[in-house]
Amino acid sequence: MARIRIPAGYLTVSQAEVLADAAESLGDGHLDITSRGNVQLRGLAGGCGRELADVLDGAGLLPSPSHERVRNIVASPLSGLDGNGHADVQPWVRELDRLLCADGNATALSGRFLFGLDDGRGDITTLRADVMLIAEPDGSAVLRVAGDPTALRLRAEDGPRAALVAAGAFLDAARDSGTRAWRVRELPPEHALLARDVAARLAAAGIACVPAEQPLPEGAPPAPGLVEGPGGRSALSVLAPLGRLTAAQWRQLAEGAGELRVTPWRGVVVADPGADAAVGLVTDPASPWVGVGACTGRPGCAKSLSDVRSDAAATVGSGRGGLPVYWSGCERRCGHPHGTWVDVVATGAGYDISVLGEPVRTGVTAAELAGAIAAARATTATR
């Protein structure tokens, strides 16, 4: 398996076609979308790593092999396309990625450390990234670190550099703590990364900022369907059931399109889509597939205790419209969503179902799954 990191999910049409070709020639012919808007290729033959790296490098998808692991950036997928939000964050994405790849110290970040760039609509803030940069109505930006309610207001043009400074402050805090913390929230309380610590670092770097007490904006991810934008421009938001597409479906999305943006919700936003872009994919917000996710499961993952994708597909209409439901093949819960969801975990003796860590049913058999999930999805739990 190979994970291809795509900052903010942004792909040109030619890059998308390269990925489809690689999936067919080197993998199992499918592309899997991750919960961070990256792409995974599976079924790769042993020893093809160099060939895949050369293919990705030729397409501009591997600008710095030494930094590939740390290019974890998510951004509002509809930014600059639908006329909503306070700013187009794509320039932030490009600049932050450039700065990351040019910073030798950044290679010490873990592959789990996440940058979130939100255009003000609040879709990305719900992912609770380690460092968040949020566009403001007045043209400024606020910087937040995970777990601290205090934000730092600064000039929008300083945002990407400030985000990298905050990441550097985390690395120092992790080192001083003597722990192996990979994410901001994993720091022990006595070494917590606070806005005031980042503010001092920003001042030393010549970046002006002021504290700002304000709630995080929270919005919804792009719903499946056509999105009308200003000036007659349009985009198409599609959902890939359980995040998996065939290479043929991937090419269909790219054909005649302006660009593709892979989303952290296992979908793709196609800017200026072609006529038949969404063949076989979900474009109806009322589809039973909306809100249903799963890890790879058997047979793709050796640690999985069940074929969770097949079980999810068999019960996909259960409790539609209620809480999201996520299927995990083991207790690691790889790729699980954020917020409140129905947690369905394979145990080897059925499934355990919980919401917000509270058990709903344990040892659920195949015959009981549909009813148990429908009941759990109706739970009126809140974050």
Side-chain angles (χ1 to χ4, degrees):
M1 187 271 286
R3 180 179 295 112
I4 300 157
R5 287 178 170 84
I6 308 170
Y10 177 84
L11 290 168
T12 65
V13 169
S14 61
Q15 288 174 330
E17 291 171 344
V18 165
L19 290 181
D21 291 343
E24 287 183 329
S25 63
L26 301 175
D28 63 4
H30 292 82
L31 300 96
D32 290 339
I33 300 175
T34 76
S35 60
R36 290 187 166 192
N38 295 316
V39 169
Q40 291 179 346
L41 303 183
R42 292 184 173 272
L44 299 170
C48 76
R50 182 69 267 166
E51 182 179 358
L52 178 60
D54 289 343
V55 167
L56 298 178
D57 184 43
L61 292 168
L62 194 63
S64 175
S66 60
H67 290 76
E68 189 278 334
R69 182 186 62 177
V70 305
R71 299 172 68 225
N72 296 304
I73 303 171
V74 291
S76 301
L78 289 174
S79 188
L81 296 177
D82 65 351
N84 296 322
H86 303 315
D88 183 354
V89 299
Q90 288 298 314
W92 281 353
V93 174
R94 293 189 288 271
E95 178 64 4
L96 177 56
D97 191 35
R98 185 191 70 78
L99 291 171
L100 268 175
C101 290
D103 188 333
N105 293 328
T107 59
L109 292 170
S110 80
R112 295 184 181 178
F113 192 92
L114 183 64
F115 295 92
L117 310 183
D118 194 300
D119 69 0
R121 73 184 68 211
D123 53 353
I124 292 299
T125 61
T126 63
L127 302 181
R128 299 298 189 264
D130 295 278
V131 173
M132 290 178 281
L133 192 61
I134 307 163
E136 289 291 287
D138 62 0
S140 67
V142 294
L143 180 75
R144 303 185 76 127
V145 293
D148 192 336
T150 299
L152 299 173
R153 189 180 302 278
L154 39 77
R155 298 190 309 166
E157 54 265 41
D158 291 332
R161 191 158 64 99
L164 189 59
V165 169
F170 161 75
L171 287 174
D172 288 345
R175 183 199 61 225
D176 294 344
S177 72
T179 68
R180 301 184 65 179
W182 285 357
R183 305 200 63 184
V184 169
R185 293 181 186 275
E186 295 174 4
L187 291 168
E190 63 273 21
H191 291 277
L193 182 61
L194 301 175
R196 65 170 180 265
D197 304 319
V198 176
R201 298 293 190 99
L202 294 178
I207 300 174
C209 67
V210 294
E213 299 287 345
Q214 59 192 79
L216 274 174
E218 291 201 4
L226 189 65
V227 180
E228 300 291 349
R233 193 178 187 189
S234 67
L236 181 66
S237 175
V238 303
L239 176 69
L242 302 181
R244 169 160 273 216
L245 303 87
T246 66
Q249 288 173 319
W250 190 262
R251 286 196 184 91
Q252 194 72 37
L253 284 177
E255 185 175 350
E259 65 190 48
L260 277 68
R261 298 182 185 181
V262 186
T263 81
W265 300 278
R266 291 183 167 85
V268 182
V269 168
V270 185
D272 306 311
D276 300 314
V279 173
L281 299 173
V282 176
T283 58
D284 182 358
S287 167
W289 282 110
V290 174
V292 178
C295 71
T296 297
R298 286 182 177 175
C301 177
K303 294 186 178 182
S304 180
L305 301 173
S306 182
D307 182 355
V308 292
R309 287 176 177 261
S310 292
D311 291 338
T315 60
V316 69
S318 303
R320 59 191 296 178
L323 289 177
V325 57
Y326 192 80
W327 298 69
S328 299
C330 72
E331 61 183 10
R332 294 185 305 161
R333 297 172 170 83
C334 294
H336 68 74
H338 294 262
T340 304
W341 78 96
V342 176
D343 189 25
V344 184
V345 182
T347 65
Y351 284 93
D352 288 351
I353 301 177
S354 62
V355 178
L356 285 174
E358 294 295 324
V360 175
R361 289 279 300 276
T362 59
V364 179
T365 66
E368 299 170 323
L369 273 172
I373 290 172
R377 295 189 77 178
T379 303
T380 55
T382 58
R383 275 196 295 264

